[in-house]
Amino acid sequence: MFVFVCARCDAELTVPLSQVSLPVHARQVYGNGLQLPVLMESGTFAVDPDPWGGPWRVWDELDPGEAEARGIYAPVHALSDAPPGQSVIAPGDIRGARLIPGKRGGACCGLDGADGPNMACLGCDLPVAARVDDCSLWQVVRLGPDAVRRVRVGADAAPLSWAELMGNAESAPPFEPITSWGGRRGSGRHWSWSPQWTAAAGRALAHLLVASQGQPVRVPDGMTATVFQHALDTMLPAGAPARQAVLAGPGRPVPVEGADILLVPVHPGTGRTWAPAGPAPSAYSVPLPPAVWRWLDSPQPYSSLPASGRIPLDVLRDESLPPRRDERFRADWPTFQHTLVRLPGVRSPWLRTIVDTFRQDRA
C-alpha cells in the first residue's frame, strides 16, 4: 500500500491506498446536467497512463511522428500536453489539501479541473491535485505526477484469482436510476442505460472493429446483441462471411473452433485480460469489465418485490416505471474514439475510412 506525499514538503496528502486498474469510464462525460457518483472505491488508486487536461495542441501543431510515439495512430482534434501518469483517487481519500479559490475551470455545477490543479498542499501551498465533481462527470481527485510522490507503507494483498473474483464479484445491471444535478433529495431520478455499460461498450466496440478485419461480425443473441450488433452492422460491410464473437472467461469453456473473437473479462486489480489455460487461442480477445461480462454471461432478472416498511426519500418508490427498454443502446463515442486511435490496427485503410465516415449519431 502507498501514501501520497507532497513533492515539496513531504506532507501526507492521502490515506493508505492500494493500486487497481483504471476504470474504463474514467474520462467519460455522460449526458447533460446529470449527477454521477465517485469513480474510485475508497482506499484505492489507479494511474492514468495518458495525459489529461490542458494545455492542448491541435493535430496540425504536432511534429511528424510525435503522435505515434505517444501511441496514437489516427488523427484526433487535439492532444493534451499535460504530464502523463496522474494518480486517480476518491475525493474522500484526500488529506492535508485545500481548494484554491477561483480555480473552478469551465464548470457549471461544480469543478472540472479544466484550468489545472485546483487543490493545494496545506503545508506549503504547492498545487498538487485537481478535484473533479461537475455535472455529467465522475467525481474524482487527480494527483499531479510532478507534484506528489508515493511512499510505500505496507504490503498489498495478493490479487484475487479469477475463481475468487468471479465468486465474489457482483454483476452490473445495464439499467440504473440517474439523478439530475441539483434536484431535491429523491427527485429528478430516471432510469437510463448505465454509464459504465456505455463506456465499456465504447472500448469493446473499438476492439471489435479491429478484430473484424473488415468483415461482418456476429455476437451472441440477447443483451450482447443489444449492445453491439446494431453498431457493428452499421459500420461493417454486409455480405461477406461473418466473423463470430463469443463470450469466454472463468467457468465458460472456450470453443475449440468457430470462434474468431472472444469477449473476455479484465481483472479489476491487475488490469490483465483473462486468457484460457493451455495454448493461447488464435482468436482476438476483446476486453470487458468483469461486472459487465458477468451480466452478459448470466443475466439477472430485475426484482419485482416491493420494499418493505417506509421507503426512504432517496429510494425509488416501488410504483415507479420499470427500466426503459425501448431506447436504443449507444456506446460511449468518446471512449470508442479514445480507444480506437490507440490501437495500431486503426492504420488499416478500411478502418480509417470508418473512422472518417461515421459520427456519434450514426452508430
Side-chain angles (χ1 to χ4, degrees):
M1 300 186 73
F2 299 90
V3 165
F4 288 84
V5 302
C6 175
R8 177 187 290 173
C9 71
D10 287 339
E12 291 190 2
L13 297 173
T14 70
V15 300
L17 303 170
S18 298
Q19 186 169 4
V20 297
S21 62
L22 185 72
V24 64
H25 49 283
R27 294 168 173 259
Q28 185 181 35
V29 180
Y30 187 79
N32 181 28
L34 303 180
Q35 186 173 348
L36 297 184
V38 173
L39 175 71
M40 303 296 298
E41 288 189 16
S42 181
T44 68
F45 77 95
V47 177
D48 191 341
D50 296 315
W52 179 89
W56 298 86
R57 279 191 295 161
V58 298
W59 183 261
D60 292 340
E61 296 175 348
L62 302 179
D63 297 329
E66 180 181 354
E68 189 159 327
R70 294 173 57 173
I72 300 171
Y73 305 102
V76 295
H77 174 67
L79 283 179
S80 169
D81 261 353
Q86 293 178 350
S87 295
V88 180
I89 70 173
D93 288 340
I94 194 78
R95 297 291 187 273
R98 62 171 179 83
L99 291 173
I100 302 174
K103 295 283 285 186
R104 182 178 177 181
C108 64
C109 300
L111 304 170
D112 66 4
D115 55 358
N118 54 28
M119 300 190 75
C121 172
L122 283 176
C124 65
D125 276 342
L126 177 69
V128 293
R131 173 159 181 160
V132 177
D133 56 16
D134 196 17
C135 58
S136 299
L137 301 177
W138 291 86
Q139 299 177 46
V140 72
V141 169
R142 288 179 167 267
L143 300 170
D146 298 332
V148 303
R149 60 186 182 86
R150 61 189 188 189
V151 178
R152 183 176 289 276
V153 294
D156 281 330
L160 295 177
S161 68
W162 281 109
E164 293 170 330
L165 179 66
M166 289 302 166
N168 298 331
E170 297 182 357
S171 58
F175 288 90
E176 63 181 76
I178 303 293
T179 303
S180 299
W181 185 274
R184 292 185 301 107
R185 188 181 180 205
S187 69
R189 306 184 77 183
H190 64 278
W191 286 98
S192 172
W193 288 106
S194 166
Q196 296 185 51
W197 272 68
T198 64
R203 180 178 67 177
L205 181 60
H207 283 276
L208 282 166
L209 285 183
V210 172
S212 74
Q213 301 179 4
Q215 300 174 226
V217 171
R218 298 298 305 174
V219 300
D221 293 335
M223 185 57 70
T224 309
T226 299
V227 170
F228 295 114
Q229 198 63 65
H230 173 74
L232 291 170
D233 291 346
T234 302
M235 290 189 282
L236 293 172
R243 292 173 64 80
Q244 299 297 319
V246 300
L247 289 165
R252 176 182 275 266
V254 178
V256 177
E257 58 183 21
D260 307 294
I261 304 167
L262 304 180
L263 298 164
V264 299
V266 175
H267 197 290
T270 65
R272 295 175 181 172
T273 301
W274 179 87
S282 59
Y284 187 111
S285 292
V286 174
L288 287 170
V292 172
W293 183 91
R294 188 179 177 92
W295 185 280
L296 293 176
D297 180 58
S298 302
Q300 301 296 313
Y302 288 98
S303 174
S304 60
L305 297 177
S308 61
R310 185 173 180 178
I311 302 176
L313 291 176
D314 59 349
V315 173
L316 288 178
R317 295 181 61 84
D318 59 288
E319 70 268 20
S320 60
L321 294 176
R324 288 175 11 188
R325 299 178 182 270
D326 56 345
E327 184 179 288
R328 174 174 289 163
F329 182 92
R330 292 177 181 269
D332 186 72
W333 201 254
T335 303
F336 165 81
Q337 292 176 314
H338 181 86
T339 303
L340 187 60
V341 299
R342 287 164 173 79
L343 298 177
V346 76
R347 292 176 294 193
S348 301
W350 67 268
L351 191 46
R352 285 292 299 274
T353 299
I354 290 176
V355 174
D356 296 338
T357 301
F358 288 90
R359 303 189 310 274
Q360 183 169 1
D361 58 356
R362 294 288 301 275

